[in-house]
Amino acid sequence: MPRDKLTDRKIKTADTQTLSDGAGLYLRKEGRAQGRWYYRFTLAGRREVMGLGGWPTVSLKEARESRDHWQKVLRAGVNPKTERDSARAQLKHANENTLEEWFERKFEALKPQLRNNGKSARWDGPLRNHIMPKIGARPIEQIDQFEIERAFKPIWNAKAETAEKAIQRLAMVFDHAAAGGLNVSRETVRKARLLLGKQERVKRPIPAMAWSDVPAFYASLGEGTTELALRLLILTGTRSGSLRNCRIDQIQGHVWTIPPEFMKAQKHKAEEFEVPLSEEALAVIDQAAKLSRDGFLFPGRSSGPISDMTLTAVMRRRGLEARPHGFRSSLRSWIADATETPFEVAEAVLAHKVGNSVSQAYQRSNLLEKRRALMKRWAGFVTEN
């Protein structure tokens, strides 16, 4: 059958008409500026027509390449239209089942179990910030261990803890996709971990302010929600997560009772923790209560509690290397350097367990009154009274 009869010049000068290039390729011109390519073929005695795109977007050369491809499909006894529709369906399936799509589905399913409904970004942050920008747009069924290895390599040792959290959660995403009927397995993630090798973990302590500098910093703080939160964080030595989620009904008299879900669990289940409140701490709480909302002593701008990054931002803006969590270290260092507090009392201030399981079974006191006296001294030092 004659073929390649058209030229670019002939196409450009032709007006509305149907032009044949031979071997089943046709161009239907719609005026001089545009047209549509078609491939006509016969299969099992039945004539079929399939579109190949618009001209001039699809050039003559590209249209011929497309025709030649579908002719090979036809010679194999396969209907080109059926083959094309199948390919399009597969592409649509892939586009609707990207890693990022299944990551979001897993995150949504987990939200009811996460603190503050997942808004703190502690679960999704490692994947969202470091892995999704690299391979999130890829169809999850096409991702192999080598692709995962390449995505994780820059943070595997440089940000070991973040990378460990991210790869654990990636395995959960793969499990979720498998439960959804996709052809994936967490084995892919396990193989990537093997390729990445053992992490070179270098434990870096959270930067802390020298205890001698704390009074000046405390005096510089204002009376807005964020700075009041930092004041109470310093005065109580609690973790920022407990502080940010403090609710007014947790405070009774001179004691703040932190629920188990906001305490850090060690090898045992977390328990509630009683924090003795100095007069200075109670004064800060009274000021913060005037700005409270929805039961939160330190509310965020929209809803829920204030975020961890909001506290950190205050210190960053001042050019400080120290971070909010570091005030626990400041307090512990002051206790060691400036007081003669027994070790078990000093550790109890930070809600640390001391001794083995046997000694803990017999020592059941929370040393509240001894801690109260110590925290009163700390408040006096911080406020320089």
Side-chain angles (χ1 to χ4, degrees), residues 124-230:
D124 62 314
L127 277 175
R128 190 182 299 282
N129 297 333
H130 300 284
I131 304 304
M132 290 305 121
K134 297 175 182 176
I135 58 175
R138 294 274 293 124
I140 191 170
E141 291 178 307
Q142 296 178 18
I143 295 174
D144 61 21
Q145 63 266 35
F146 305 107
E147 201 166 354
I148 295 173
E149 178 199 18
R150 288 192 296 271
F152 272 88
K153 222 162 194 177
I155 65 169
W156 190 244
N157 292 312
K159 297 182 177 182
E161 290 187 15
T162 299
E164 179 62 30
K165 290 176 182 177
I167 204 162
Q168 288 176 1
R169 288 156 197 181
L170 184 64
M172 295 170 68
V173 173
F174 269 64
D175 280 348
H176 200 68
L182 272 64
N183 183 27
V184 297
S185 168
R186 71 159 47 218
E187 275 296 295
T188 304
V189 182
R190 186 187 69 82
K191 290 175 183 177
R193 183 192 284 271
L194 290 174
L195 291 172
L196 286 161
K198 190 174 181 179
Q199 289 175 312
E200 299 171 5
R201 287 181 176 266
V202 179
K203 199 163 186 179
R204 297 179 178 86
I206 295 173
M209 185 178 292
W211 60 262
S212 57
D213 295 333
V214 174
F217 177 76
Y218 186 88
S220 73
L221 293 171
E223 297 182 354
T225 296
T226 305
E227 295 187 327
L228 287 171
L230 281 170

Side-chain angles (χ1 to χ4, degrees), residues 24-288:
L25 179 60
Y26 294 87
L27 174 64
R28 173 62 182 172
K29 285 295 296 294
E30 299 164 355
R32 292 199 173 190
Q34 60 185 4
R36 299 290 302 176
W37 292 105
Y38 295 96
Y39 174 50
R40 296 178 182 175
F41 61 93
T42 302
L43 181 64
R46 181 175 177 179
R47 299 193 67 180
E48 302 269 3
V49 178
M50 64 184 292
L52 299 180
W55 177 87
T57 303
V58 176
S59 68
L60 173 60
K61 181 176 180 293
E62 290 170 329
R64 285 171 174 167
E65 290 173 350
S66 183
R67 172 197 60 195
D68 294 345
H69 168 73
W70 294 119
Q71 278 190 325
K72 290 178 182 178
V73 171
L74 183 62
R75 284 197 294 269
V78 178
N79 188 323
K81 290 176 69 175
T82 303
E83 181 73 6
R84 182 188 61 185
D85 292 345
S86 176
R88 286 177 174 174
Q90 289 179 15
L91 180 61
K92 184 174 183 291
H93 173 80
N95 290 338
E96 291 177 349
N97 289 287
T98 63
L99 174 61
E100 188 163 19
E101 170 69 22
W102 281 95
F103 159 66
E104 295 293 355
R105 290 189 190 187
K106 180 60 180 177
F107 183 42
E108 284 298 320
L110 278 178
K111 276 185 177 180
Q113 305 169 40
L114 301 175
R115 290 184 184 179
N116 195 25
N117 204 32
K119 292 180 181 177
S120 65
R122 291 189 176 183
W123 190 90
D124 62 314
L127 277 175
R128 190 182 299 282
N129 297 333
H130 300 284
I131 304 304
M132 290 305 121
K134 297 175 182 176
I135 58 175
R138 294 274 293 124
I140 191 170
E141 291 178 307
Q142 296 178 18
I143 295 174
D144 61 21
Q145 63 266 35
F146 305 107
E147 201 166 354
I148 295 173
E149 178 199 18
R150 288 192 296 271
F152 272 88
K153 222 162 194 177
I155 65 169
W156 190 244
N157 292 312
K159 297 182 177 182
E161 290 187 15
T162 299
E164 179 62 30
K165 290 176 182 177
I167 204 162
Q168 288 176 1
R169 288 156 197 181
L170 184 64
M172 295 170 68
V173 173
F174 269 64
D175 280 348
H176 200 68
L182 272 64
N183 183 27
V184 297
S185 168
R186 71 159 47 218
E187 275 296 295
T188 304
V189 182
R190 186 187 69 82
K191 290 175 183 177
R193 183 192 284 271
L194 290 174
L195 291 172
L196 286 161
K198 190 174 181 179
Q199 289 175 312
E200 299 171 5
R201 287 181 176 266
V202 179
K203 199 163 186 179
R204 297 179 178 86
I206 295 173
M209 185 178 292
W211 60 262
S212 57
D213 295 333
V214 174
F217 177 76
Y218 186 88
S220 73
L221 293 171
E223 297 182 354
T225 296
T226 305
E227 295 187 327
L228 287 171
L230 281 170
R231 285 179 182 271
L232 192 61
L233 189 71
I234 292 169
L235 292 167
T236 58
T238 56
R239 294 181 175 86
S240 59
S242 304
L243 185 285
R244 292 185 299 101
N245 287 280
C246 177
R247 300 184 70 90
I248 294 176
D249 58 13
Q250 295 172 6
I251 299 166
Q252 299 292 329
H254 286 66
V255 175
W256 166 26
T257 303
I258 302 175
E261 59 266 29
F262 296 114
M263 293 298 298
K264 183 178 180 181
Q266 303 293 331
K267 293 181 181 179
H268 52 81
K269 186 177 180 181
E271 301 172 352
E272 68 176 25
F273 183 66
E274 292 183 321
V275 180
L277 298 170
S278 63
E279 293 300 327
E280 176 69 13
L282 287 170
V284 171
I285 289 169
D286 285 343
Q287 286 180 286

Side-chain angles (χ1 to χ4, degrees), residues 330-359:
S330 306
L331 168 58
R332 186 63 179 85
S333 297
W334 172 82
I335 293 174
D337 294 345
T339 76
E340 297 181 356
T341 303
F343 176 76
E344 54 271 20
V345 177
E347 289 296 285
V349 166
L350 301 180
H352 289 165
K353 293 287 184 179
V354 177
N356 57 31
S357 58
V358 175
S359 61

